[in-house]
Amino acid sequence: MSVHKEIAFEDAIEKSLLDGGWERGRSADYDPELGLCPVDVFTFIGRTQADQWERLVEFDGGRDEAQIRFKKYLAREIDSRGALDVLRHGVKDRGVLLRLAYFRPAHTLADDALDQYNGNILTVTRQLRYSRTTPDKSLDLALFVNGIPVATAELKNPLTGQNVEHAKAQYRRDRDPKELLFARRALVHFAIDPDLVFVTTKLAGEKTRFLPFNTGSEGPGETGGAGNPPAKQGGYRTSYLWEQVWAREAWLDIIRRFLHVVKPTKPETGTRRKSPHELPMIFPRFHQWHAVRRLTEHAETHGAGHNYLVQHSAGSGKSNTLAWLAHRLSNLHSQANEPVFDKVIVITDRTVLDKQLQHTIHQFEHRAGVVTRIGDDPEGKASSVPKSEQVSQALSGETTKILVVTLQTFPFVLDKVSGLRGKKFAVIVDEAHSSQSGESSAALKKVLLKLGSDDIDENGDPLTASALARGRHETLSYFAFTATPKPKTLELFGTPHPVTGNLQPFHVYSMRQAIDEGFILDVLRNYLTYKTYWRLANANPDDREVDERKAGAQLARFAVLSPASLEQRAEIIVEHFHRMVAPRLEGRAKAMVVTRSREHAVKLYRKIKEYVEVRGYTDCGTLVAFSGELEVDKNAEDKVTEAGINGFSERVLTDKFDYTRADDPHAASNPKPEYRILVVADKYQTGFDQPLLTTMYVDKKLQGVAAVQTLSRLNRTHPLKSQDDLLVLDLANEAEEIRIAFKPFFESSITEPTDPNLLYAAQRTVSDFALLVESEMDAFATAYLRAEQAGKTDQQRQRAHADLYRFTDPARDRFVQLAADDPETAEEFRSALRDYVRKYGFLSQVVPYTDAELERLYLYGRYLLSRLPRREDPGVDLGQVDLTHLRITRTGEYDVSLDPEGAQMLPGFTGDGAGGANEPERVSLSELIAGLNEKFGVNLGDDDLVGGSARDAMKDPKVKAAAFANNEEDFGHVFDNVFEDKLIERIENDTKVLQKFTDDEIFKTDMTKIARRYAYEALRRDVA
């Protein structure tokens, strides 16, 4: 046999499986009529359930009769319920339950605990002749569990001129999806060559979608791109598939805990219920399976008390990974057969996640109540049971294993958790950031530790106990997921590198790999930037001094939110969407407009609506999203809410935005409004999954994590969506700024550990002001910790509250006196105390401080800061300021995609940056306006170039006549030349601007277009 032939590859895979406990199957034993290997079915039942089988034999009057009838009944059950459900839960035949697989028990205390599990028969069959109609066709490999086919594989060998792409093509073109094996038996299909693996759970001819099932170019969980690392001696790059994934124990675990059917969330009324074979089947991607295995193996070996950071990119399938991990942790046992965790708590703001957990885990467990959501129900309806009682019942009950909560719900557990001891908790944090530091996390730990061990107070010192409650504990493990870890996130949850000591993620699936593998699109590939140029005039009769920073921001806001500016922005957005975006995805493409404030969102939304109505466009339906109630321009008569503007509740906005006429078969007979543009202000910029989004119009400064999270709304894939469909049109940022923001999160992020002595330096700085007295802080700490104890009466609580004021009064009075004598020093003290409180709130989560003095100063300082009188910070009165010039023009089109550079070092926590409250720089308003005009008024003359020149042109009788007799485009044939003459008259003495206008075609076209629109609509409006 030649070693370069495909059969040698097949031999190597089979040998590895047989060495690992699989058995060799025979194609002749497979019954294509039933889609089963009956001999293995009955061998397994005889090994594991002889007594139950004998009862059926007795019912049927003989062994042969029982086998003939049962194998047909089993085939019907699989046809009806699916092979996955039958393998997990068995079949009941005339009152006798027969299991078709036994999975490894959570613990192995009994001597015979593994006997039935070891009775499973896993077979690998080569060249399986699977077809009833074309018996000469065969599959390279088929995998069976106890006679039920669960997977198929096509192998290709590049040495014979074929690779994995040929294997995919073979499935698409030569494997009939209607064949029993493919339609209602095998759960998953693999296309394999020595370098790459792809997988699908549903054959659909040419429409079959294969997903990569590779470890990553640097190996699983490491920073890298697509593909697999070089093969080890004597192996293949893809050996992990049969050596790890198809390993006997791992493969049975995948069938038990990972594979699941996606149930429809909203079945359409009047439609038949789909069979399990028609519903999508989820098979884990390699990084998901590997992450869950690696996390649970570490927890199984090392127990509770460890933190884990998982840096998985957007598009990594994080919701499924969280569900699989939560389920696995909920019944994880240590090597000593003890439960590792008593409860699993999932902290997330995604209400969809608890539904997904419920559906997924019900398929595994077939028991209700395993997952409990704390708070309002997923539909937004308030629960009749108080949150504190919900948490208490869930924590103390036996049924609930997994609690799904938001971070804000944890205060509700404080009063209801006493009485339970020795409990251990796994806390899964979805999109972990620094919100897990400070008081919210410390409060959570105190609550959970009340249910746990007593070791936090071994010396009976409540102050030391309070300090210890902030650090890590043997009863509590965090599993934190994020695509964009901040330095604080790495400090809290990161794993020290064994050599450098730098803190790094426990597991990585990078943005780079997700893009390489096609799970997300690259939002930086097509980046279009615009810039707003404006000039202002001080129209006040006398000049005034203003705070430079605040007045500058207010003036810039005034310019950007001016009606003229918003009108131009609306025109740019609508015209671009109508011409370039709306036709994409066969008329389904949608866009998001990101604004800097609620007022900006409402005003821009209104301008967009007005412009759409004037132009008569029907493909630009627009919604707005913002929180709370807003008085536009502080006008009580113009008070608005999101629901009031849109005409429906916030809860249904995503459903309304999801709707597309192109996918509605009843659109013609029952038309519904279709919304294509969503204007947002600090909403839907994280966690919003809308695959039809192709374009984002950014009108807000974006930095760091916010830039990545916001723009990543575009990266979701869709069958009709390609990389070329994506565009960011940015009115507020430079393309290079955005590239720099993405860089730390393109592969993986690391940081240096913090120097713990920073805190002692901050403590000394506060003490050096000599405003705080030891005895007062001691008295306060005693009163504070006494007030926290349970069982207080209302009168005792009121007295404790009064004590907190009484013990901070002297320090407050000393500060007031210092502020009167030396205000600069007083502000330096405030800043130093604020700096200490901020540092301690974070560092105490990372560094195991047990110093009661540090905790005392922290408790005292937090309350004292809230009582120190604030320095007056008057607003800025700009008086009368006019916008004299305005232009928005395109400045460039860029590809700012990132190149691989490995893990990126994030700056560690230093505590710098609090600083003193410096006296604000004050300048005259005219001076400030002149400086802003220099910065933002580049190329703008001393008069309104666009508006002034357009108004001059409008006086020409030919222009007036053309406006009344033509559409806007034909009007331009007359207007444009007149406008150009008038504009040149105004700028003829400004060589720089004149050269720009005559040489820069884009600049000239943009300016002329704005003027034409202004003149055309103004002239026709005047007549109307």
Side-chain angles (χ1 to χ4, degrees), residues 11 152 168 212 255 270 275 426 577 655 670 701-702 708 730 850 926 962:
D11 285 340
T152 72
K168 292 189 210 175
I255 292 172
S275 81
F577 183 86
D655 290 338
N670 184 27
K701 290 296 289 184
L702 294 174
V708 179
D730 199 325
T850 56
S926 294

Side-chain angles (χ1 to χ4, degrees), residues 405-569:
V405 300
T406 62
L407 188 65
Q408 291 75 20
T409 61
F410 272 101
F412 293 95
V413 305
L414 291 171
D415 298 325
K416 297 287 183 179
V417 294
S418 58
L420 299 176
R421 315 300 298 176
K423 301 292 184 181
K424 291 170 289 186
F425 299 88
V427 180
I428 301 175
V429 186
D430 181 19
E431 279 305 330
H433 285 298
S434 55
S435 61
Q436 281 303 301
S437 64
E439 284 307 295
S440 56
S441 181
L444 162 62
K445 289 179 180 178
K446 287 181 182 178
V447 169
L448 298 178
L449 290 166
K450 283 183 181 180
L451 308 180
S453 64
D454 297 315
D455 63 350
I456 66 165
D457 193 16
E458 59 186 9
N459 297 319
D461 177 7
L463 197 58
T464 303
S466 182
L468 279 164
R470 301 178 188 282
R472 297 187 180 188
H473 295 282
E474 63 180 21
T475 58
L476 185 63
S477 286
Y478 274 102
F479 300 81
F481 285 74
T482 182
T484 50
K486 297 177 181 178
K488 284 186 176 182
T489 319
L490 284 159
E491 290 247 30
L492 288 168
F493 306 116
T495 302
H497 188 278
V499 177
T500 66
N502 291 332
L503 296 161
Q504 60 186 16
F506 184 83
H507 198 276
V508 174
Y509 179 74
S510 67
M511 184 188 302
R512 173 192 167 192
Q513 186 173 347
I515 292 171
D516 285 354
E517 294 186 335
F519 287 111
I520 61 173
L521 301 172
D522 186 351
V523 300
L524 303 182
R525 191 78 59 83
N526 194 6
Y527 210 94
L528 190 62
T529 56
Y530 279 65
K531 191 165 185 178
T532 303
Y533 298 96
W534 46 263
R535 297 193 73 175
L536 305 171
N538 183 2
N540 294 294
D542 53 353
D543 210 353
R544 61 188 68 191
E545 281 200 341
V546 292
D547 179 328
E548 183 176 12
R549 182 180 60 82
K550 289 186 176 180
Q554 196 166 323
L555 288 168
R557 178 177 176 276
F558 167 76
V560 171
L561 295 187
S562 67
S565 171
L566 291 170
E567 285 168 6
Q568 288 192 33
R569 283 166 153 72

Side-chain angles (χ1 to χ4, degrees), residues 552-859:
Q554 196 166 323
L555 288 168
R557 178 177 176 276
F558 167 76
V560 171
L561 295 187
S562 67
S565 171
L566 291 170
E567 285 168 6
Q568 288 192 33
R569 283 166 153 72
E571 179 182 353
I572 290 169
I573 291 168
V574 173
E575 289 296 341
H576 181 271
F577 183 86
H578 173 67
R579 295 175 184 176
M580 306 300 295
V581 180
R584 292 183 179 273
L585 311 191
E586 299 178 3
R588 296 172 175 83
K590 298 177 184 286
M592 177 181 285
V593 182
V594 179
T595 65
R596 65 195 68 197
S597 67
R598 297 186 303 160
E599 188 157 8
H600 185 187
V602 171
K603 288 182 173 181
L604 185 54
Y605 164 83
R606 288 173 172 175
K607 292 297 183 184
I608 289 172
K609 292 276 287 185
E610 289 173 10
Y611 186 85
V612 169
E613 289 173 10
V614 168
R615 303 298 293 173
Y617 295 152
T618 59
D619 55 3
C620 299
T622 306
L623 295 172
V624 65
F626 62 94
S627 300
E629 187 177 71
L630 172 70
E631 287 186 0
V632 181
D633 289 329
K634 299 181 180 178
N635 178 7
E637 299 298 316
D638 193 6
K639 191 178 293 184
V640 296
T641 63
E642 175 188 312
I645 293 175
N646 291 330
F648 46 77
S649 72
E650 295 181 33
R651 184 169 55 84
V652 300
L653 184 143
T654 53
D655 290 338
K656 297 285 188 182
F657 194 59
D658 280 345
Y659 173 77
T660 58
R661 288 198 188 107
D663 296 313
D664 182 1
H666 310 295
S669 59
N670 184 27
K672 296 178 183 178
E674 181 182 39
Y675 301 103
R676 309 281 297 276
I677 302 172
L678 178 62
V679 183
V680 302
D682 293 323
K683 287 185 77 173
Y684 299 110
Q685 288 167 241
T686 61
F688 179 53
D689 192 357
Q690 173 49 266
L692 296 177
L693 276 178
T694 65
T695 304
M696 184 171 288
Y697 303 100
V698 180
D699 201 8
K700 171 185 180 179
K701 290 296 289 184
L702 294 174
Q703 295 177 322
V705 169
V708 179
Q709 291 182 330
T710 300
L711 297 182
S712 292
R713 297 312 100 212
L714 292 182
N715 66 18
R716 301 311 196 256
T717 59
H718 184 275
L720 298 174
K721 187 174 172 183
S722 72
Q723 182 65 58
D724 291 338
D725 291 311
L726 258 61
L727 173 75
V728 178
L729 192 155
D730 199 325
L731 294 150
N733 305 278
E734 299 291 341
E736 181 62 17
E737 295 171 347
I738 299 299
R739 190 191 71 83
I740 292 171
F742 268 73
K743 186 176 179 180
F745 312 111
F746 182 58
E747 295 186 90
S748 66
S749 314
I750 59 176
T751 194
E752 293 180 340
T754 297
D755 177 5
N757 288 322
L758 281 174
L759 199 54
Y760 289 102
Q763 181 193 30
R764 283 193 300 274
T765 302
V766 173
S767 301
D768 287 346
F769 285 91
L771 279 179
L772 306 184
V773 176
E774 296 275 336
S775 59
E776 293 168 2
M777 289 193 288
D778 281 336
F780 174 90
T782 301
Y784 173 85
L785 295 167
R786 189 167 56 234
E788 277 203 327
Q789 295 173 5
K792 292 285 184 184
T793 65
D794 288 343
Q795 185 176 3
Q796 288 172 319
R797 277 193 290 270
Q798 291 166 9
R799 178 179 175 183
H801 185 259
D803 283 343
L804 300 184
Y805 275 83
R806 182 161 60 90
F807 293 128
T808 53
D809 277 342
R812 178 185 181 278
D813 294 343
R814 289 191 290 272
F815 175 85
V816 170
Q817 185 60 51
L818 178 62
D821 297 338
D822 186 353
E824 186 173 336
T825 301
E827 289 307 316
E828 288 175 358
F829 168 78
R830 187 205 303 271
S831 177
L833 185 58
R834 185 187 298 119
D835 183 49
Y836 174 83
V837 168
R838 186 171 61 90
K839 284 176 177 172
Y840 187 83
F842 170 66
L843 290 176
S844 58
Q845 304 293 309
V846 180
V847 181
Y849 297 110
T850 56
D851 190 330
E853 287 187 4
L854 296 178
E855 176 75 6
R856 180 186 64 185
L857 177 57
Y858 172 71
L859 297 175

Side-chain angles (χ1 to χ4, degrees), residues 191-202:
I192 309 166
D193 72 13
D195 297 315
L196 297 170
V197 178
F198 287 80
V199 66
T200 185
T201 56
K202 188 176 183 64

